[in-house]
Amino acid sequence: MIVFSFLIFILGACLGSFLNVAIIRLKDASSMWGRSKCPECGKKIRSRHLVPILSWFLLHGCCADCHKPIHFQYPLVEFAAGLLMLVAFFRHNFFLTPSALEPFLFELIFSYL
């Protein structure tokens, strides 16, 4: 059960990473397509640096190229999204009761918004 909970949390953190992209790009009115870039130097972020939460801490909260600080918002949103998915999953375990999928998705989308 612990491993499964961890996987649910990771999936939520990945969705949180997408939420970060959506938040920043909608605010800047830029395209939702394309690779993520450093907000300071504009260089594309390498794939190995796109691991939710972990990459921010391994890079000490800085860009791998220009070493400028990257805002704490990124791991915070990813962590919160992972936690929200975990809570929603335990409240509506849709593997045990398939009819709980709709309330799970509603709660998850509502909490992410």
Side-chain angles (χ1 to χ4, degrees):
M1 187 67 171
I2 293 173
V3 172
F4 189 69
S5 298
F6 181 72
L7 292 174
I8 292 292
F9 177 81
I10 294 299
L11 179 62
C14 290
L15 286 173
S17 183
F18 172 74
L19 288 175
N20 267 324
V21 169
I23 290 166
I24 300 299
R25 292 186 184 185
L26 288 174
K27 179 183 158 202
D28 295 343
S30 58
S31 172
M32 290 297 288
W33 301 105
R35 296 282 308 266
S36 296
K37 297 181 283 189
C38 170
E40 296 293 327
C41 67
K43 288 196 175 185
K44 291 182 182 176
I45 298 175
R46 294 179 199 87
S47 297
R48 67 177 180 260
H49 296 148
L50 292 174
V51 179
I53 304 168
L54 187 61
S55 292
W56 191 88
F57 286 104
L58 290 176
L59 292 171
H60 305 287
C62 296
C63 173
D65 294 311
C66 68
H67 306 291
K68 300 273 180 161
I70 294 175
H71 200 275
F72 189 69
Q73 167 194 338
Y74 293 95
L76 186 65
V77 169
E78 293 165 356
F79 181 79
L83 198 59
L84 287 170
M85 180 174 259
L86 197 58
V87 168
F89 177 76
F90 281 121
R91 286 176 38 89
H92 310 282
N93 191 345
F94 56 86
F95 287 121
L96 297 178
T97 54
S99 63
L101 180 61
E102 289 176 10
F104 166 77
L105 290 174
F106 176 78
E107 184 173 319
L108 190 64
I109 291 169
F110 184 76
S111 64
Y112 281 177
L113 290 175

